[in-house]
Amino acid sequence: MNVYRNLLILSATSVILACSSVSDHAKEIVYQCGIQDVTATFANETVTLAMRGQQQQLQQVVAASGAHFKSNDGRTSYWSKGSEATVTWHDENLPLCIEQGKLPNNVAFSGNEPFWLLTLNRDHVSYTTPEQELEFAASPTAYDDDNDWLIALRAAGEEVGQLRINTSICYDSMSGKASPYSVKLVLQGNEYRGCGGETTQLIQGQPWQLSAMTGSSGSMLDKPSLQFLTEGRLVGTDGCNRFFGHYSVDGEIPRLNVQGATKRMCSQASMTFAQKFIENLNNTSKIDIKEDKLVLKVNSGQQLTFAPKY
C-alpha cells in the first residue's frame, strides 16, 4: 500500500463545521485512520465498514451527537462527528479517522529560526512567536498544480498573509522529527517554512512487519512485527514471543519501551535474533518514512526497516 497516497489535503469544506447526521454524508465515505484506509457505506439505518479485505455491517444506535453505529456483538463501532470518526474494529481502537481530502479539525504547524507556531482550527488561526500572539480568520482560496492548498489569513476583512500546505512528509529542521505536512507561511512580508500534523498519522493504523535489520542474521519462527496502538501502547512479536510496552513520539526523540513478553522457547538462533531486535527497539533514536517503509534508526547506528502488513 502507499502510505502517502491518502495523506490528507485541505479542502474548502475542511474549514466549515460539518453536520453530523447520516443524511448529511455521501453514500460512501473513505477515511484515513493513520495509514489504514476504512470505507463506510451507508444504507437505511446501517453502515458497512470495509478494511483489510473484510467487511462488517453495523446498526445505528442512539447518540447524543453525531452518527453512532455498533455491531451486534459490540466489538466493532463507528461514531462520526463532522469529517472525523472514531472506529473500533474487533476490539481494536483505530487512530482518529479523517475523511480523505480533509485535515483534522485541529492541526498545528511550526518552524525554527525564528521559532513560530500556528494552529489551524477549522476557520480560525492562532499564530505565536516569542514576541507576539496574533489571531486570524482563515479561508481557502485555491488548490494549485503542485498539490498545495492555499489558505488566506484575514484580519478585519483584509488578507494579511497566506498559508500553503502540501501533503508531503516533512522533517523538522532541528530535530529531524517526521510530520505528515509541509507548510509555507507568508506573513508580514516574511516567509517561513515548517512542518505540521502528528507523527502518529504516519505510523498508526496497521501492524508493521520487519523486512531488514542491519548487523543481524538468523532464522525466526515468526516474522517480527510491531504495532503502534492508540494511547501509546506498543505490541508485536520478536520472531519468537509476543511482546508489549509503550511508546511516545511527542518529543524530539521517539521513545520505545518493551516492558514484557511471553516465555515461549525457540531455537538459540531465533532467541538471539529476538534479543537483538528488542534491544534495538528500546534504543530507537529516530523514526523515518521512506518509500512506504518505516525505518527505525538506533543509537548504535543500526536500523530496522518495516513494511505495512496489509
Side-chain angles (χ1 to χ4, degrees), residues 236-238 240-245 258-264 278:
T237 174
D238 60 15
C240 177
N241 285 285
R242 300 194 62 80
F243 65 82
F244 63 90
V258 176
Q259 297 176 308
T262 56
K263 302 296 184 181
R264 181 169 57 169
I278 297 298

Side-chain angles (χ1 to χ4, degrees), residues 16 21 28 30-31 59 62-63 74 82 88 112 120 132 142 161 164 172 193 195-196 202 204 218 220 234 292:
I16 300 175
S21 65
E28 181 177 283
V30 180
Y31 290 94
Q59 303 294 323
V62 176
T88 300
N112 305 304
L120 175 63
Q132 60 182 338
R164 178 185 289 266
D172 185 88
R193 294 184 181 271
C195 304
L202 301 172
Q204 288 183 343
M220 298 161 286
L234 183 71
D292 302 343

Side-chain angles (χ1 to χ4, degrees), residues 42-297:
F42 298 89
N44 300 321
E45 295 184 350
T46 68
V47 62
T48 299
L49 298 184
M51 62 176 279
R52 300 174 185 170
Q54 300 181 8
Q55 293 186 351
Q56 188 161 6
Q57 188 179 79
L58 315 181
Q59 303 294 323
Q60 189 167 16
V61 297
V62 176
S65 62
H68 195 188
F69 298 78
K70 283 187 175 182
S71 61
N72 291 333
D73 61 8
R75 297 180 59 205
T76 299
S77 66
Y78 163 91
W79 196 338
S80 68
K81 295 181 180 180
S83 60
E84 297 182 345
T86 56
V87 174
T88 300
W89 180 264
H90 297 298
D91 295 327
E92 176 189 341
N93 295 326
L94 298 184
L96 179 67
C97 297
I98 307 163
E99 286 187 38
Q100 288 185 7
K102 300 183 181 181
L103 281 173
N105 288 335
N106 296 283
V107 60
F109 305 92
S110 64
N112 305 304
E113 298 179 353
F115 170 79
W116 57 272
L117 172 66
L118 184 147
T119 302
L120 175 63
N121 184 350
R122 295 189 177 94
D123 58 354
H124 180 263
V125 165
S126 298
Y127 172 75
T128 304
T129 71
E131 293 78 27
Q132 60 182 338
E133 295 183 6
L134 302 174
E135 304 289 329
F136 304 103
S139 58
T141 58
Y143 181 66
D144 65 17
D145 294 336
D146 294 324
N147 295 327
D148 291 349
W149 278 99
L150 306 181
I151 309 299
L153 307 183
R154 300 183 181 278
E158 299 292 329
E159 183 172 334
V160 295
Q162 190 178 80
L163 188 65
R164 178 185 289 266
I165 303 170
N166 184 276
T167 56
S168 59
I169 292 182
C170 181
Y171 296 94
D172 185 88
S173 60
M174 295 184 67
S175 68
K177 181 179 178 180
S179 300
Y181 310 112
S182 299
V183 64
K184 181 174 76 172
L185 171 65
V186 177
L187 184 64
Q188 298 174 333
N190 297 311
E191 180 179 301
Y192 309 96
R193 294 184 181 271
C195 304
E198 300 293 336
T199 303
T200 51
Q201 291 176 252
L202 301 172
I203 62 175
Q204 288 183 343
Q206 279 201 32
W208 295 90
Q209 288 190 324
L210 184 71
S211 56
M213 183 168 72
T214 59
S216 297
S217 61
S219 60
M220 298 161 286
L221 186 61
D222 298 311
K223 182 174 289 188
S225 66
L226 78 162
Q227 186 171 5
F228 300 92
L229 299 176
T230 58
E231 300 177 348
R233 294 179 297 128
L234 183 71
V235 297
T237 174
D238 60 15
C240 177
N241 285 285
R242 300 194 62 80
F243 65 82
F244 63 90
H246 290 88
Y247 72 94
S248 172
V249 292
D250 294 333
E252 294 184 355
I253 299 176
R255 303 294 183 188
L256 279 64
N257 181 18
V258 176
Q259 297 176 308
T262 56
K263 302 296 184 181
R264 181 169 57 169
M265 295 299 295
C266 300
S267 68
Q268 185 60 49
S270 292
M271 296 185 72
T272 299
F273 187 96
Q275 181 179 4
K276 187 61 178 178
F277 176 75
I278 297 298
E279 179 183 328
N280 283 336
L281 289 185
N282 286 335
N283 286 282
T284 297
S285 59
K286 185 179 180 182
I287 291 177
D288 203 353
I289 304 291
K290 293 183 177 180
E291 299 178 352
D292 302 343
K293 304 290 187 181
L294 169 69
V295 179
L296 302 183
K297 297 186 177 181

Side-chain angles (χ1 to χ4, degrees), residues 17-34:
L17 178 60
C19 297
S20 57
S21 65
V22 175
S23 61
D24 293 326
H25 289 303
K27 181 179 180 181
E28 181 177 283
I29 300 175
V30 180
Y31 290 94
Q32 195 71 37
C33 310

